[in-house]
Amino acid sequence: MQTMNAVQDLHLKSHKLRQSFSPRLIFWELTEGCNLKCIHCRATAQPMRSDAELSTIQAKRVVDDIASFADPILILTGGEPLYRPDFFEIAQYAHDKGLTLAMATNGTLITEDIAKKIKDAGIRRVAISLDGPTADIHDKFRGIDGSFEAALRGAELVKKQGIQVQFNTTITKHNVHAVEDMIALAEAREADALHLFMLVPVGCGVQITESNMLTATEYENVLEWFYERSREVSFEIRATCAPHYYRIMRQKAKERGERVTRQTHGMNAMTKGCLAGSGVCFISHKGFVQPCGYLPVQVGNVLQQPLEQIWNESPEFAVLRDTNELDGKCGICEYVNICSGCRARAYYETGNFMSEEPYCNYQPGK
């Protein structure tokens, strides 16, 4: 009887642990095909689609798998997701299965008809990449003249359909001086959200790390300024791939004698810094699963085993969920459970995704 009780306790503990680490966001790279040539592209996108992409039938099986065990926000991305002729078939299928949908696009392929199809497919938010507030800055980074105006036109058409629009801006040395103007542009275009992404050395981004990556001190200054500006704007504004932003939020709130409140559900959710493997995962166009799109560590493939099994049984995910496994100053930091450092940048610098965040200048206990 004691043995039976011990087994039951173990199963109960395992069940509770799985519940506490249910995926909140699943990023799905439907294709690596893309019409732009961005110098910082995570996916090293190509002008042609790959023959190795999941078929429509395989994609629908992945949707079935996700819907069977989780209730995440599913972000359909690429490359450029609209490159797939079956994009709306897949999106509609996911919507019919009850999944909350968003998409990440460069915006240049959105026409009035496409915008209507986005709405009809049940996509609730469209994230459009804008890497600067002017054509000169954006087009140079995106590699194609006219992409800035095309992206803004796409955003306008989506807004007319009543869909939320989010601007994604990757901050590097080429545009850090124009972040204030980026906020002004987002406000003028009535964007629902502006997310600033801190460059992660992966894909094409590796090639520009030395020339464009901000230093740890520069990151800190930008994030502190960004936090102050977030208190003044009327729309959602957030730093992404910058987990130390959550530390800064608490430091600033403490200085003011305020309490940090967090929205933990929905499109505007703010929970903690790095969620790789604990609240987030990524599915590549070939079906490979990673902790996030910026951490190129493959932990399984949805063509070979169910995502639920990968999510619950991956040894790499188990390590990422245990902050006691973090090395260096991240492991002893008092903000470890609300920051955890960027596991992708740690992996790039050391080959160990549990190493300390290399672009954070905070010294624990100070």
Side-chain angles (χ1 to χ4, degrees), residues 29-306:
E29 176 193 70
L30 292 177
T31 179
E32 66 174 353
C34 186
N35 58 317
L36 300 186
K37 304 174 182 178
C38 311
I39 64 174
H40 65 311
C41 181
R42 169 203 57 76
T44 57
Q46 307 295 323
M48 301 292 291
R49 293 172 56 205
S50 168
D51 293 336
E53 286 178 8
L54 272 62
S55 68
T56 306
I57 292 175
Q58 290 171 328
K60 289 182 177 180
R61 287 174 184 162
V62 172
V63 171
D64 290 338
D65 185 12
I66 295 171
S68 72
F69 84 101
D71 184 28
I73 297 174
L74 179 62
I75 299 99
L76 305 175
T77 181
E80 171 49 56
L82 291 174
Y83 245 48
R84 282 193 67 133
D86 60 353
F87 171 78
F88 291 108
E89 183 179 352
I90 294 170
Q92 185 67 59
Y93 188 80
H95 174 66
D96 291 345
K97 286 291 181 176
L99 295 175
T100 301
L101 294 179
M103 67 179 291
T105 171
N106 61 46
T108 62
L109 301 181
I110 298 176
T111 62
E112 188 171 350
D113 181 58
I114 292 294
K116 187 177 185 306
K117 287 182 178 180
I118 290 172
K119 179 181 181 179
D120 291 343
I123 294 171
R124 292 173 51 186
R125 177 176 286 194
V126 176
I128 295 178
S129 299
L130 276 181
D131 288 309
T134 66
D136 180 59
I137 297 175
H138 177 86
D139 291 0
K140 187 177 297 183
F141 217 56
R142 292 278 152 178
I144 299 291
D145 290 341
S147 58
F148 177 74
E149 293 298 335
L152 289 181
R153 183 168 59 252
E156 182 179 358
L157 292 171
V158 167
K159 284 292 290 185
K160 285 183 177 179
Q161 292 295 326
I163 305 168
Q164 293 183 21
V165 170
Q166 171 183 314
F167 289 155
N168 290 346
T169 303
T170 299
I171 300 300
T172 65
K173 290 182 178 179
H174 100 286
N175 65 0
V176 66
H177 64 283
V179 180
E180 181 63 59
D181 291 338
M182 194 63 227
I183 291 176
L185 176 65
E187 195 162 27
R189 294 283 175 160
E190 299 182 341
D192 297 276
L194 170 64
H195 288 198
L196 292 192
F197 285 70
M198 297 305 177
L199 181 66
V200 180
V202 67
C204 295
V206 171
Q207 302 170 17
I208 64 169
T209 298
E210 185 174 342
S211 61
N212 272 275
M213 195 83 158
L214 299 183
T215 66
T217 299
E218 289 171 326
Y219 270 132
E220 190 81 5
N221 292 337
V222 169
L223 293 175
E224 287 187 1
W225 169 84
F226 195 57
Y227 170 76
E228 297 297 342
R229 288 295 282 118
S230 73
R231 297 165 55 85
E232 301 167 352
V233 299
S234 58
F235 56 95
E236 175 194 335
I237 187 169
R238 184 182 309 171
T240 303
C241 295
H244 24 317
Y245 183 67
Y246 286 76
R247 164 185 48 87
I248 290 171
M249 287 173 61
R250 279 153 183 79
Q251 288 176 309
K252 295 297 184 182
K254 185 177 180 180
E255 290 174 4
R256 292 185 168 94
E258 299 173 349
R259 182 179 179 181
V260 174
T261 58
R262 298 181 295 171
Q263 180 171 331
T264 57
H265 300 284
M267 295 289 180
N268 301 330
M270 293 188 70
T271 53
K272 61 169 287 187
C274 185
L275 292 170
S278 61
V280 166
C281 73
F282 170 86
I283 305 172
S284 81
H285 67 284
K286 296 180 180 179
F288 290 106
V289 178
Q290 300 173 193
C292 82
Y294 299 100
L295 179 50
V297 174
Q298 295 175 359
V299 301
N301 191 297
V302 294
L303 297 179
Q304 299 170 359
Q305 60 188 134

Side-chain angles (χ1 to χ4, degrees), residues 327-339:
D327 293 338
K329 65 181 182 180
C330 282
I332 61 172
C333 184
E334 62 269 36
Y335 294 101
V336 64
N337 289 318
I338 53 104
C339 171

